[in-house]
Amino acid sequence: MNQAALPISMNTVPRTGDSSIGGLLLESGKITPENAERVLRMQKELGIRFGEAALRLGLITEADIQQVLARQFDYPYLQKGEGKYSHLLVAAYDPFTPQVEKLRAIRSQLMLRWFARGHKALVVLGGASGDGASLFAANLAVVFSQLGERTLLVDANLRNPRQHEIFDVQTRQGLSDVLAGRAQLDAITKVESFVDLSVLGSGTLPPNPQELLSRSSFANLNTELESLFDIVIYDVAAYALGSDAMAIAARAGGVLIVARKNQSLLSDINAMAEQIVQSGAKVVGSVMVDF
């Protein structure tokens, strides 16, 4: 078990605010102060680590240990049933699965090919509704925030937004309201369960999404967001629903195409890529999902 031995005496109970394994277990409510005394006695008697003693006493699980270790190394994630977020946020709830390993590999490629070259914004675009692009964008934002990058996920899908449901965003105002001059950047919601993740919801659904996103105010907003965050990810309406995505891509500069396994057609992907280039943006890459 990869835990550091705790320099803790028989009569020293971990305190809240303590970044040790014991302190984090106590702060998160996994153990009580009374149980901490029991753990300390076993730790002293057997000369073992605090976490191992708590495990032997049946007070915590291996999952509890993994979670506090993640907090020690600023790699926050959630246990099943914790928080009000969608259970499909696998990067939050199952960060050590092969599926999330692939997400981290994609993150690395994006860092090398795009963000490390001075870019800060990226559009995540699917061909049709239900392609899984919104869910992929949400999970991608989570893994970037776990890297320690100040990450903003913008729900720029002003036709069928999903991020407010995925992240349980209660703020009614969002991107459309900011673009219309009816709200400020305080419409951005900090996702408290993660150190460096924020979400700007879609806001009020407008009757003219394409025209709203084509205004110069969007270019100004994108510049401002890039100055405040390291990574800005735009979840946009599907390509089949109109030209909203192209207006955003022209401002952001780069697009990651999302294809759905056994559903997306290669001809449609090629048409999307051609349209993206014509808009003045670059196709940074493409991924296939099976959400």
Side-chain angles (χ1 to χ4, degrees):
M1 189 177 297
N2 297 323
Q3 303 172 47
L6 301 176
I8 180 175
S9 64
M10 180 68 176
N11 57 359
T12 304
V13 176
R15 299 186 299 268
T16 55
D18 183 358
S19 62
S20 67
I21 291 289
L24 291 173
L25 287 170
L26 187 64
E27 183 178 349
S28 61
K30 301 297 182 183
I31 60 173
T32 64
E34 293 76 18
N35 283 334
E37 292 279 5
R38 296 173 57 199
V39 176
L40 289 168
R41 283 195 293 271
M42 176 176 281
Q43 180 188 15
K44 180 73 172 180
E45 291 170 1
L46 302 181
I48 58 179
R49 298 173 178 135
F50 188 95
E52 185 177 352
L55 278 170
R56 290 195 183 190
L57 288 169
L59 300 173
I60 60 172
T61 64
E62 285 285 356
D64 294 328
I65 289 291
Q66 290 297 327
Q67 189 172 41
V68 295
L69 281 172
R71 289 183 61 188
Q72 275 192 327
F73 288 91
D74 293 325
Y75 189 72
Y77 70 94
L78 304 173
Q79 292 196 34
K80 296 267 179 81
E82 184 180 358
K84 299 179 180 179
Y85 314 119
S86 168
H87 69 281
L88 296 175
L89 272 178
V90 292
Y93 289 107
D94 294 297
F96 307 114
T97 59
Q99 188 178 20
V100 182
E101 285 294 338
K102 293 177 182 178
L103 268 170
R104 285 192 280 268
I106 293 169
R107 178 188 66 188
S108 298
Q109 289 294 320
L110 290 173
M111 287 296 292
L112 291 171
R113 296 184 181 185
W114 188 246
F115 295 113
R117 299 183 180 184
H119 306 287
K120 287 194 170 185
L122 180 71
V123 170
V124 176
L125 173 62
S129 297
D131 275 357
S134 293
L135 193 56
F136 179 83
N139 280 285
L140 187 64
V142 170
V143 295
F144 268 113
S145 72
Q146 290 170 336
L147 190 62
E149 301 287 340
R150 293 172 300 165
T151 305
L152 174 66
L153 175 61
V154 181
D155 195 341
N157 185 342
L158 303 186
R159 298 175 186 269
N160 186 27
R162 284 202 60 201
Q163 300 303 338
H164 66 288
E165 296 175 349
I166 294 173
F167 287 99
D168 191 40
V169 174
Q170 300 298 321
T171 305
R172 293 186 177 182
Q173 292 186 314
L175 175 63
S176 64
D177 304 286
V178 174
L179 293 176
R182 298 170 54 241
Q184 302 300 317
L185 291 186
D186 55 7
I188 294 174
T189 299
K190 179 77 170 61
V191 184
E192 296 300 334
S193 297
F194 302 94
V195 177
D196 292 300
L197 180 61
S198 299
V199 174
L200 176 59
S202 59
T204 307
L205 294 186
N208 58 337
Q210 185 177 341
E211 290 76 14
L212 192 61
L213 294 167
S214 298
R215 292 178 183 176
S216 59
S217 57
F218 180 79
N220 297 334
L221 174 62
N222 180 66
T223 299
E224 187 172 3
L225 294 178
E226 288 184 352
S227 70
L228 296 173
F229 295 90
D230 301 316
I231 306 290
V232 180
I233 296 175
Y234 289 102
D235 174 26
V236 300
Y239 176 76
L241 297 181
S243 301
D244 302 11
M246 297 304 113
I248 301 171
R251 308 298 189 186
V255 178
L256 179 67
I257 295 176
V258 176
R260 188 172 181 84
K261 185 178 180 180
N262 299 327
Q263 182 171 315
S264 301
L265 299 177
L266 182 58
S267 58
D268 292 341
I269 300 299
N270 290 334
M272 287 170 55
E274 183 177 344
Q275 187 67 34
I276 290 166
V277 173
Q278 290 179 1
S279 74
K282 178 181 179 180
V283 178
V284 181
S286 61
V287 297
M288 181 177 292
V289 300
D290 191 20
F291 285 118

